[in-house]
Amino acid sequence: SLTISFPPHPPVSPISLFLPSLCISHHSLPHPFSLRHPPPSLPYLSFYYLSLPPQFHNLQELRQSPSLATKVFIQRDYSEGTVCRFQTKFPSELGSRIERTLFEDTVKTLNTYYAEAEKVGGQSYMEGCLACATAYFIFLCMETRYEKVLKKISGYIQEQNEKIYAPRGLLLTDPVERGMRVIEVSVFEDRGSSGSSPSSNVSSGISQR
Amino acid sequence: MSAVMITRKVRKWEKLPGKNTFCCDGRVMMARQKGVFYLTVFLIVGTCSLFFAFECPYLATHLSPAIPVFAIVLFLFVMAMLLRTSFSDPGVLPRALPEEATFIEMEIEAANGNVPAGQRPPPRIRNVQINGQIVKLKYCYTCKIFRPPRASHCSICDNCVDRFDHHCPWVGNCVGKRNYRYFYLFTLSLSLLTIYIFTFAIVHVVMRSVDSGFVKTLQDTPGTVLEVLVCFFTLWSVVGLTGFHSYLISLNQTTNEDIKGSWSGKNRLQNPYSHKNIVKNCCEVLCGPAYPSVLDRRGLTQDDVPVPASTTTQSNSVPQTTKTTAPLIPNEHTPDDAKSSIADSAIAHAEKISPSPKEEKPPTPAKVPPLASPETDVEASIIIAKEKAL
C-alpha cells in the first residue's frame, strides 16, 4: 500500500524547534556591494538533523526524538589581543560525552584557521593595496581571504559534526553565526537505552523547556 | 499543496534589533538620522560641480588638461569611500540569543556568590589579560554579552560595535572595525580634494585677474567665491580630523579610547594592542585583513509571514515549524467538524486507502497522503487527523 504511516508521536518535536536555529548556516556574508551568490549553505545537514536524530539511524527510534539537554559555550581567548581565538579549556559539562583530545583538537584547528585568516602579512598587504587602488571595487568580484577561510571553516565544522560530534549526541555551531563570540556546543539528551530525564546529566545544565 | 500557508520570505534584517535603517533588501546599513549625511553629499557634489563648471574649462586650456582629470579621479575616490563608510556594517556584534544570555547570567551569579539582600550586586566585569596587561571587559545590558575588548555600545545605533571608534553623523553611521580604513581614506582623500580645489580656485582667480581684472573675474565665475568659502571652512576641520586619526592609527588607538583616556599612561596602563612601532601599527589598521560582517542581514528567517491561501478555512493556529522538511507531515490540529462530504471526496480521490475499521464516518479512517489528492488538497489537509496511524 502506498499509505505513508506516521508515528503516533506528534511530528513537531522539540528537536525541530531548536535545530533549525542551530543549522541555519551563514547564508551570505553580507557585503554592501556584493553581487555574489551566497556561499553554499548547509541545507542537507539541516534536513539530516531534522529527519534523523543525530545518534539514531532508523525511523523506529525517531519516536523517541532526542531533545536538547543543554548548550555549552566556549568563550574567546583574548590573551593575545583581539585576534579570533577560542579557549581550548575542556568544559566540564562535556566530560562524559567526548574525549578531551578530540575536542581540543577541533578547537585548536579552528584557532589555526582564524589565525590564518587574520594574519597581517604579505598577502594581506597585497590584497589591501590592490583593493585601495581600485577604490575597493575589486571586492565586488573577488572574495576576500577572510571569506575564503570562513568557507573552509564552515566545511570543517560540518565534517567534524558528521564524523565526531553527531555520533556522540553533540552539535557544533559555526562561531560566525554567533558573532564570533562563542563556539556553541549543543548537548543532546543521551537516550541510549535508558530513558533519562532531560536535565539529569549536567550540574549547571540549562533546561531548555 | 499540503501547506496551508503561503509565506513571504522575511530576511533577517527586518527583525534585527537596534536603531539602524536598511536599504536594498539588507545590503545597505545606516544609522537612523541621515540628515547630516545628505548634507555631506550635497556639499561635496555641489562644490565639485561648481569646480568643474567654472574653473576646469579655463584651467584645462590655460594650464593643463590633467587638472580636471585628476580632480575627477579624486572626486570619484572620495565618493566611493564615503559611500562605503556609510553603507557598510561597522562591525556590529549580534545580540546574544536567549540560551547564551542565560548561560552568561548563571556564570555571573556563580562568580558573585550570594549577595546579601539590600546590597547592590557588584558591577559585571570580567578581567582578561591581554599581552600582559589586565583589561576589564564590561557587560552590556542591552546586548546581554560581555563586550570583547575595544568594543563599545553605540547609544545612537543601539548596537555593540567591535573596535568602536565613534559615531560619525557626517557619514551617517558608526565607525568601527570594518569601516575604519574607509573612513580614514575618506577623510584623507577629502582633505586632498579640498586642498586641490582651494588651490586651483585661487590659481584660477589670480590667472584670470591678470587678464581681465579681479572684479570681472568674480562676475564671470561667481561659483568660485562659493567654492573658496566652503573649502576654507572645510579645510580646517577635515585636515585636522585626518591629522588626528593619523596620530591615532600610529598608536593603534581608537577615538573612544582616546577620549576616555584608557591608555593615557596613568596607573601605568599601556596600550596592549600597540606593536610599539608606527609602521606596524599603520599596517595593521590600514592593510589588515578585510573583516567580513558577522551580522547576517540577508539570510532568511525561520518564521515566515503567513499569507493565507484563498480557499482555506484557517483552522491552523499553530505555525508549522517543520514546514521546511515536511510536505508530507500532516497538519496537527484539524477541526472536528470535518464534513462528511469532504471526507468522502477525499477518500474517493485517494489512490490507495489502507483498510481499517471505521468508527465514525466523518473522520478519516486512514492517512490520506496529500500528494494523492491534488484537487482537494486544501480539504484533504483539513481532514487528515493525527490519531490514526497505519
Side-chain angles (χ1 to χ4, degrees):
Chain A
S1 96
L2 201 68
T3 321
I4 299 162
S5 64
F6 291 92
H9 194 79
V12 179
S13 63
I15 201 176
S16 54
L17 293 173
F18 293 104
L19 280 179
S21 66
L22 300 173
C23 292
I24 293 171
S25 73
H26 203 67
H27 280 275
S28 61
L29 295 168
H31 201 279
F33 305 107
S34 169
L35 300 170
R36 291 189 292 277
H37 291 297
S41 54
L42 309 171
Y44 82 86
L45 190 63
S46 348
F47 285 125
Y48 172 79
Y49 283 115
L50 284 166
S51 58
L52 287 176
Q55 65 266 44
F56 301 110
H57 299 285
N58 53 46
L59 279 170
Q60 275 180 348
E61 287 172 286
L62 181 62
R63 281 192 204 109
Q64 313 163 32
S65 33
S67 46
L68 191 67
T70 184
K71 287 191 185 183
V72 181
F73 296 93
I74 313 298
Q75 303 288 332
R76 281 273 292 271
D77 172 16
Y78 294 116
S79 56
E80 289 176 21
T82 47
V83 287
C84 188
R85 258 183 80 86
F86 290 95
Q87 290 178 359
T88 47
K89 187 173 72 89
F90 188 66
S92 50
E93 294 90 340
L94 298 180
S96 54
R97 303 298 290 265
I98 189 166
E99 293 84 353
R100 175 186 287 261
T101 46
L102 281 175
F103 180 78
E104 285 179 357
D105 277 344
T106 310
V107 181
K108 282 186 186 148
T109 315
L110 284 176
N111 285 341
T112 42
Y113 273 123
Y114 286 119
E116 181 200 329
E118 298 200 10
K119 197 163 74 92
V120 182
Q123 205 186 346
S124 80
Y125 294 157
M126 287 291 297
E127 195 184 51
C129 291
L130 178 69
C132 183
T134 63
Y136 297 94
F137 280 104
I138 200 161
F139 285 156
L140 293 173
C141 13
M142 191 183 88
E143 226 180 21
T144 65
R145 195 163 64 118
Y146 212 114
E147 284 171 352
K148 286 186 193 141
V149 176
L150 282 182
K151 268 197 195 167
K152 277 203 274 183
I153 289 173
S154 172
Y156 173 73
I157 288 182
Q158 186 182 324
E159 178 212 328
Q160 289 281 293
N161 271 334
E162 279 171 15
K163 287 195 191 151
I164 298 178
Y165 290 87
R168 291 169 173 77
L170 301 172
L171 185 69
L172 290 181
T173 307
D174 197 335
V176 88
E177 293 170 32
R178 297 290 178 264
M180 307 275 260
R181 283 192 312 268
V182 287
I183 303 177
E184 190 181 287
V185 185
S186 308
V187 182
F188 291 97
E189 240 180 87
D190 191 7
R191 278 288 175 158
S193 52
S194 62
S196 53
S197 63
S199 51
S200 64
N201 55 338
V202 176
S203 54
S204 65
I206 304 159
S207 173
Q208 295 303 319
R209 271 342 136 301
Chain B
M1 29 126 283
S2 73
V4 179
M5 294 189 286
I6 300 166
T7 57
R8 171 179 81 82
K9 285 187 184 143
V10 174
R11 300 234 184 225
K12 285 187 184 170
W13 65 263
E14 299 181 51
K15 304 273 183 193
L16 279 176
K19 298 185 196 157
N20 290 101
T21 45
F22 297 90
C23 309
C24 299
D25 201 18
R27 292 184 180 89
V28 165
M29 179 173 172
M30 291 182 76
R32 222 166 250 188
Q33 295 98 353
K34 299 186 278 290
V36 189
F37 166 69
Y38 294 135
L39 176 67
T40 309
V41 174
F42 173 73
L43 282 175
I44 296 173
V45 172
T47 311
C48 288
S49 315
L50 289 175
F51 182 74
F52 293 131
F54 290 110
E55 266 83 359
C56 284
Y58 186 87
L59 290 169
T61 48
H62 286 77
L63 269 184
S64 164
I67 294 172
V69 169
F70 189 69
I72 289 173
V73 169
L74 203 50
F75 166 71
L76 289 175
F77 190 78
V78 167
M79 287 311 292
M81 290 300 106
L82 171 65
L83 294 179
R84 199 164 259 269
T85 311
S86 303
F87 293 165
S88 55
D89 173 9
V92 172
L93 296 168
R95 298 191 184 183
L97 294 175
E99 296 102 7
E100 194 186 335
T102 321
F103 182 84
I104 295 176
E105 292 268 348
M106 289 182 58
E107 272 194 343
I108 294 171
E109 273 165 36
N112 284 345
N114 284 325
V115 179
Q119 244 185 39
R120 250 186 328 177
R124 297 181 170 190
I125 289 188
R126 206 182 252 178
N127 288 323
V128 293
Q129 197 174 55
I130 299 179
N131 289 331
Q133 176 115 315
I134 301 284
V135 174
K136 292 186 194 301
L137 302 186
K138 285 194 192 158
Y139 181 76
C140 182
Y141 284 92
T142 316
C143 305
K144 304 234 182 356
I145 55 168
F146 274 101
R147 287 185 210 127
R150 312 193 95 176
S152 188
H153 191 93
C154 176
S155 47
I156 302 171
C157 302
D158 203 23
N159 287 316
C160 270
V161 179
D162 207 355
R163 204 189 183 276
F164 180 70
D165 196 84
H166 66 287
H167 181 97
C168 186
W170 297 95
V171 302
N173 204 357
C174 288
V175 178
K177 180 168 81 167
R178 292 192 72 238
N179 64 353
Y180 185 62
R181 78 189 67 186
Y182 308 132
F183 175 75
Y184 178 71
L185 287 172
F186 166 65
T187 55
L188 185 64
S189 53
L190 186 62
S191 312
L192 290 175
L193 185 67
T194 314
I195 293 172
Y196 192 85
I197 290 182
F198 186 73
T199 314
F200 280 105
I202 303 283
V203 164
H204 163 261
V205 167
V206 166
M207 283 179 70
R208 228 180 182 156
S209 303
V210 166
D211 293 337
S212 343
F214 185 67
V215 178
K216 190 165 182 304
T217 306
L218 291 184
Q219 282 173 342
D220 286 339
T221 55
T224 311
V225 180
L226 208 57
E227 279 169 54
V228 171
L229 270 176
V230 169
C231 286
F232 183 76
F233 289 114
T234 314
L235 211 67
W236 298 112
S237 42
V238 176
V239 171
L241 194 65
T242 310
F244 174 63
H245 278 284
S246 307
Y247 162 77
L248 287 179
I249 287 175
S250 64
L251 292 178
N252 203 335
Q253 270 190 31
T254 62
T255 309
N256 195 276
E257 287 163 358
D258 187 74
I259 288 174
K260 289 185 182 164
S262 311
W263 318 121
S264 59
K266 64 176 182 194
N267 303 331
R268 285 200 222 110
L269 279 171
Q270 303 267 309
N271 187 354
Y273 314 107
S274 170
H275 299 280
K276 311 278 189 270
N277 178 337
I278 291 179
V279 176
K280 269 195 181 171
N281 285 337
C282 292
C283 286
E284 191 199 299
V285 177
L286 298 175
C287 303
Y291 298 96
S293 173
V294 292
L295 194 70
D296 193 9
R297 284 167 279 157
R298 295 193 24 89
L300 297 167
T301 54
Q302 278 297 295
D303 42 272
D304 302 321
V305 174
V307 175
S310 50
T311 57
T312 313
T313 58
Q314 281 297 331
S315 56
N316 217 6
S317 56
V318 175
Q320 282 224 357
T321 52
T322 53
K323 176 157 38 63
T324 48
T325 50
L328 295 179
I329 292 181
N331 294 337
E332 258 209 279
H333 301 287
T334 59
D336 293 326
D337 55 302
K339 305 182 185 68
S340 56
S341 59
I342 298 170
D344 288 344
S345 66
I347 293 166
H349 281 115
E351 286 178 354
K352 299 240 175 87
I353 302 165
S354 340
S356 75
K358 303 181 188 184
E359 292 106 67
E360 312 111 57
K361 270 208 94 176
T364 48
K367 296 272 190 243
V368 178
L371 284 175
S373 54
E375 306 93 289
T376 57
D377 54 350
V378 169
E379 291 83 0
S381 63
I382 294 171
I383 292 158
I384 291 168
K386 61 179 185 218
E387 306 94 340
K388 295 281 186 230
L390 266 164

